Amino acid sequence: MKKASMTRRLFLLSTGAAATGLIVGCSTAAAKGRGYSAIAGAFEPNSFIQITPDNKVIFYLPSSEMGQGILDGLTTLIAEELRVQPTAIDVRHASLHEDYKNPEMGMQATGGSNATRAQFLPLRQAAADTAAAIRNAAAKQLDQPLDKIVLVDGQVMVEGKFYGFGDFVAVAALMPVPENSPLRSPKQFDQIGRQRPRLDALSKSTGTAEFGIDAEVENLYRAVVVRSPVLGATLQGFDASAALKRSGVVDVVKIKSGVAVVAQSYWQARQAAAVLELNWEKTELGSWSSDSIYNKFNETLNDSSQKGLECCDEGEGDKLLDQSATVVAADYYAPYLAHATMEPLNCTVEVNGDSCAIYLGTQNVQASAGAAVYYGDFDADKVKVHPAFLGGGFGRRGLGDDVAEAVLIAQKTGRNIQLVWSREDDMSNDFYRPAALVRMQAGVSEQGLIETWAVRRVGPNIMGYMLDEWVDALAPDYLNKGFVDWLSKLGRPIFNRFIADPSAGDGIYSDYDTPNKAVRHVTQDPGLRTGFWRSVGHSSNAFFKESFIDELAQSAGIDELDFRLANMKNNPRLTEATQLVAAKAGWGKTLPEGHFHGLATHSSFGSAVAQIAEISIKGTQIIVHKVTAAIHCGMVVNPGIVRDQVEGGIIYGLTAALHGEITLVDGVIQQSNFHNYPMLRMADAPEVEVHIVESQEHPEGVGEPGLPPLAPAVANAVFKASGQRLRDLPLRLS
Amino acid sequence: MITFQLNNSAVHVDIDPDTPLLWVVRDHFKLKGSKFGCGMGLCGACTMHVNGEAVRTCTLPISAVQGAAITSIEGLGTPDNLHPLQQAWVEYSVPQCGYCQSGQLMSASALLAKNPNPSDDDIEMAMNGNICRCGTYSKIKSAIKSGAEAMRTQGSLVEIFDPVITDKEASS
Ligand code: FES
Ligand code: FES
């Protein structure tokens, strides 16, 4: 029996943001010492916490806050162990430092829904050690036995008398910082697991939260870039004479991705950009349109001489498929998708001689700094990143393409600039969720057990494109640039021909007990760049898998819930979530006239989620009334945020399921703004009810796992309502 | 030269008359709470009040606001002095990434100024121009209802929507 050979490290690569350290080692983290600037008189036990003599507790947030609630979550961990109210902590975005690397990724990045899981123990330890240091200092300074020193609510209590933490920082700073101090037990928790308003709600409800686009520096000019209508084409020539005559325009410069117009205001730059004339060479992508891409995928799917790469081969693989009592086969398709973060990409750069400061919201502080080093030829220690809140991430922010453009413009013009992408720029220069066409086949026993599970998937990969961006940004700066560029281009051939991109198979075979599995992926890539999109491979694979499971249950004549439970005996988390959602939504109960339930269950990023969608149909319109969800994500830090993330994943997933489709004509993306790439709006948003499975296990992901089951839950309900099995996304009734 | 009221102060600006109000407020007056999302009037991130009406300012040329009273999120309330809706937004933990929320609040507050007790349909109608990519719609709805109730019982606070004379100005 052969198992898919995928190392842990490689698996992490697939899950959102990852370690090019695998290939070239990381170099751009700043030198030793603390990650923050020292404050006079403050106690600075580690790179996460500073305590000032006037009792201020500052926490340097190592993960990026993009809506997922990590600011609240990680601050809560600090508060729990340091015995301070979370609201009393002054939270700041951490700049680049090796201490802030995500311990699972080995990189200072946020993605893959792992920030809580990876930092649950290390951050609590840092806070517990800090608390111990304060107590030690108080004991010494007050000459009291340690057991008389108690930390309560941000104060030091000694024999009924209260002191501020700040009273002891001077002494604490002179004593060794304890290590491995005991952590509080879950029974003692009074912050972790408690529901309260999220900490960033106030700034985000008053317009005072600072996003990348809000950065202001001295003498700031605004820049926009005009890029090729067909992604990746090379500029042959341009005429800037008309643009240069426009008011406010100060520079027009060529950079690697296109031509930048720099002006006093954004509006002036944008107006002038419209009168630029540019000539682009033809590229391979220019010969592709959505129809020809689909046909090529289909041709490849049916061409058995193309064996493709192995994602999974267990038991007898697909050899026994024909021997099962029932064999079912169906082809499914998912399109390319754009991220459409609410805040379009932007980056502000301030150049000062040989140093540079960059301001932006990024999921990858390290790659952002690295892009400035690589493209701007700065020394690594001369680049300072000022991270801000992200107006949505979803996997789009942190590739360094925004920084590369901004740094090149700043250098070519010698000005401080803010580069702002328009919505149109954002939508047509994305790293898209890859399209995929799959053939699902399964053999089911007479008892309704899946015996063989076989998938053949055709489509592009993600990793090649990611490595192209990241290797440049993360390669050690002593390496020759030509070499680095060559190296960065290796990703695509490697993942196209030799190693199955983990995201190709993510979640398409792992939830059910099936003894024999064969999953193969054949790369077919027209050259449209792809990237991590909320829940990555799971976003489409769950749709394929969970729609197909319903088809299997129906062909076996077994209730879809019973069929799933019977086939997931080795998946206790998913079983619990499934049973909970079935009970809460009332699976099998009588629904209002014309309403139907659809079920889907899926594990991703360590968590298990089950959803039941209640829908009805009006003409050819699918109306989603309610989605009930249950999540098993281990221990919960703030239940409100877990529920919000699952709901957010459902809404994001529903936009994709009902509307999401990026199409091409002669290589040109046809969608440009929200009129032709519509988002779900309030009137169409279903009621969402989220239930959390009680658990004391280690926390797992919540930012992404809520999304994957949504599309199949809706599709399965649509089948019940209409008899139409919709196998292509977005879901469209005929 | 264009003169108007911005959050109860008289201001003037000498700028290309086509420039949308959004960019004038953000980049000229450096009030960064209002956001740019689409530039086409499709998402609502840039919503401000123009004479009490919720307006998408990314497509509103500055020349059109001559003499008007503009309220941006900064004029709705501050962290120390929250509008009841902002209070509700915090209590309900509405924001996720937060980027759309200034616009959501401006649409919601314009609604309540006219309709202190909106139905679900009223809310959906008034809020349908505001996209939230993070999916906070159900919380927005709950927070609007809660904020509306607070305003009804406290008998609130519509002076900030008054286009001409305000209590604030009168007392300062
Ligand atoms: S930015 Fe004005 S409506 Fe989108
Ligand atoms: S909170 Fe992120 S777009 Fe609304």
Side-chain angles (χ1 to χ4, degrees), chain A residues 324 441-445 448-453 512-516 549 552 563 567:
Chain A
S324 291
Q441 298 183 87
V444 180
S445 74
L449 296 178
I450 308 167
E451 295 171 324
T452 295
W453 182 262
Y512 296 100
D513 304 330
T514 321
N516 307 305
I549 286 284
L552 298 185
F563 185 86
N567 280 287

Side-chain angles (χ1 to χ4, degrees), chain A residues 198 214 216 647 680-681, chain B residues 32 35 42 93 137-138:
Chain A
R198 57 187 279 166
D214 303 331
E216 274 291 335
E647 178 162 358
L680 203 76
R681 290 172 187 266
Chain B
K32 303 287 188 176
K35 300 299 192 230
L42 298 167
S93 282
Y137 298 122
S138 66

Side-chain angles (χ1 to χ4, degrees), chain A residues 342, chain B residues 96-101 132-134 136:
Chain A
M342 207 68 226
Chain B
Q96 288 190 24
C97 85
Y99 194 77
C100 72
Q101 299 297 344
C132 175
R133 187 63 166 140
C134 299
T136 65

Side-chain angles (χ1 to χ4, degrees), chain B residues 2 7 9 12 21 24 53 58 60 68 79-80 92 94 96-98 100-101 105-106 124 167 169:
Chain B
I2 292 149
N7 299 328
S9 303
H12 56 84
L21 175 62
V24 176
E53 298 282 343
C58 65
L60 182 70
D80 307 326
Y92 281 77
V94 173
Q96 288 190 24
C97 85
C100 72
Q101 299 297 344
L105 277 153
M106 297 316 284
E124 281 169 15
D167 291 353
E169 262 187 349

